[in-house]
Amino acid sequence: MSAKAFLSLGSNLGDRKATLLAALDALDRGGARIIRRSSLYETAPVGKIDQPRFLNLVVEVATDLTPADLLALCQSVERDLGRVRKERWGPRTVDIDILLYDRLAIQTPSLTIPHPEMTRRRFVLVPLLEIAPDASLPDGRRLNAFLADVADQDVRRVED
Ligand code: X6L
Ligand code: MG
Ligand code: MG
């Protein structure tokens, strides 16, 4: 049985949409098979707000990769698509984060699943709930319950 995972992707540099679609293709070819993808969302930057608006989306993948190998794949796709790490939380051609991996909860120095900030980011919750309205955390809490706390964050669905 393969695992089911959810990934969040974001871009705010260059041709954002082309980069995100190229990332999905590279993930799929690398063994994170795309089962379902959300719409694209244009989102106001959070964390460091003086930077360009993001395009964000969430995908469900089926994979035989371990969480560590899935992380390595995400990071290699980021690098292949020109991500350069400059300042923390700064603009990026593409960022790929693991949100959920089956019902696993893990904490290592390099990887925490579920993503520790996912419930506080509307740019994650809205696309995730679009493709998985019943999604929950490994402890059973439903993700739709967190939407009310982030109502102030600007997230707009855009046409593909
Ligand atoms: C206080 C301090 C409150 C820091 C929030 C939030 C930090 C989010 C980093 C924070 C804080 C982040 C994206 C983004 C980033 C993205 C949009 C991050 C990391 N990535 N904004 N900001 N989309 N809309 O993909 O998420 S930087
Ligand atoms: Mg991120
Ligand atoms: Mg990241």
Side-chain angles (χ1 to χ4, degrees), residues 56-84:
N56 285 105
L57 61 80
V58 167
V59 288
E60 175 189 337
V61 301
T63 191
D64 294 322
L65 300 173
T66 63
D69 287 339
L70 180 59
L71 176 65
L73 173 63
C74 293
Q75 292 174 338
S76 98
V77 171
E78 288 177 345
R79 276 193 302 275
D80 288 349
L81 289 172
R83 179 160 184 186
V84 178

Side-chain angles (χ1 to χ4, degrees), residues 46-119:
V46 298
K48 177 181 183 295
I49 64 174
D50 57 330
Q51 61 176 321
R53 292 173 66 82
F54 283 79
L55 278 188
N56 285 105
L57 61 80
V58 167
V59 288
E60 175 189 337
V61 301
T63 191
D64 294 322
L65 300 173
T66 63
D69 287 339
L70 180 59
L71 176 65
L73 173 63
C74 293
Q75 292 174 338
S76 98
V77 171
E78 288 177 345
R79 276 193 302 275
D80 288 349
L81 289 172
R83 179 160 184 186
V84 178
R85 292 199 178 256
K86 296 192 189 119
E87 84 261 52
R88 192 176 185 211
W89 303 339
R92 64 282 302 268
T93 50
V94 65
D95 175 42
I96 308 173
D97 294 335
I98 302 173
L99 302 174
L100 300 167
Y101 184 105
D102 285 340
R103 290 198 62 172
L104 221 57
I106 54 176
Q107 251 184 309
T108 75
S110 52
L111 181 61
T112 301
I113 299 175
H115 190 295
E117 299 295 326
M118 64 179 293
T119 61

